[in-house]
Amino acid sequence: MNIDIAEVLELPPVNQVGFVVKDLDQALALYKPLFGEFTVMDASDMEWEYRGKPEMSSLRIAFANSGDVEIELIEWVSGGTPHKEFLDAGREGMHHLRFVVDNVEEKVKEAEAVGYREIWYKRFGEGLAASYLERDGDPLILEFFENKLG
């Protein structure tokens, strides 16, 4: 029996689609005509909890919008991350869907009850956290994002 995960977890509409790319500059040239200007940032030397252990990693990230949905392009630079796993599996393209939630830790517990596992997590500070979750048989990762800072 299939369950309606969006209903069970009371998920809001998707607010971001994340793509993992091998070369951010090449991806920007490809997608700028589709989504318009991107904001580019380096997320260097950040420590995340990755599969239960602390891990330093660096990413190059770019953001644009398509209506109410943010488009995120992610280039892996260093360290263990779900993005590197994705590339190592020979994949490139859509990687995750992000949902804004009130409390990341509570929503992760709810998702674990329906078969998801947290694989990447960071609490940046009070009111700001992110978590990636996976489940068996599904290549698409869910991201829960808590942002009470605006």
Side-chain angles (χ1 to χ4, degrees), residues 37-88:
E37 287 297 323
F38 280 80
T39 300
V40 179
M41 66 173 277
D42 287 323
S44 298
D45 300 323
M46 294 183 65
E47 185 173 304
W48 289 75
E49 182 179 307
Y50 174 56
R51 298 201 178 274
K53 299 175 189 166
E55 178 78 33
M56 292 293 286
S57 64
S58 294
L59 304 169
R60 289 185 65 219
I61 304 172
F63 304 96
N65 287 294
S66 179
D68 293 336
V69 177
E70 183 175 78
I71 305 300
E72 179 183 39
L73 305 177
I74 305 164
E75 176 188 338
W76 173 82
V77 177
S78 67
T81 73
H83 317 93
K84 181 175 184 336
E85 285 181 16
F86 192 75
L87 293 169
D88 287 350

Side-chain angles (χ1 to χ4, degrees), residues 101-105 123 126-130 144-148:
V101 299
D102 289 331
N103 181 291
V104 162
E105 292 82 6
R123 176 151 293 280
E126 185 64 33
L128 188 61
F144 294 152
F145 183 60
E146 174 186 323
N147 184 3
K148 296 178 182 165

Side-chain angles (χ1 to χ4, degrees), residues 106-126:
E106 287 178 12
K107 195 56 73 176
V108 166
K109 286 179 189 171
E110 292 174 23
E112 287 173 343
V114 294
Y116 282 89
R117 289 177 304 281
E118 183 175 68
I119 59 170
W120 208 45
Y121 167 80
K122 183 170 185 69
R123 176 151 293 280
F124 299 93
E126 185 64 33

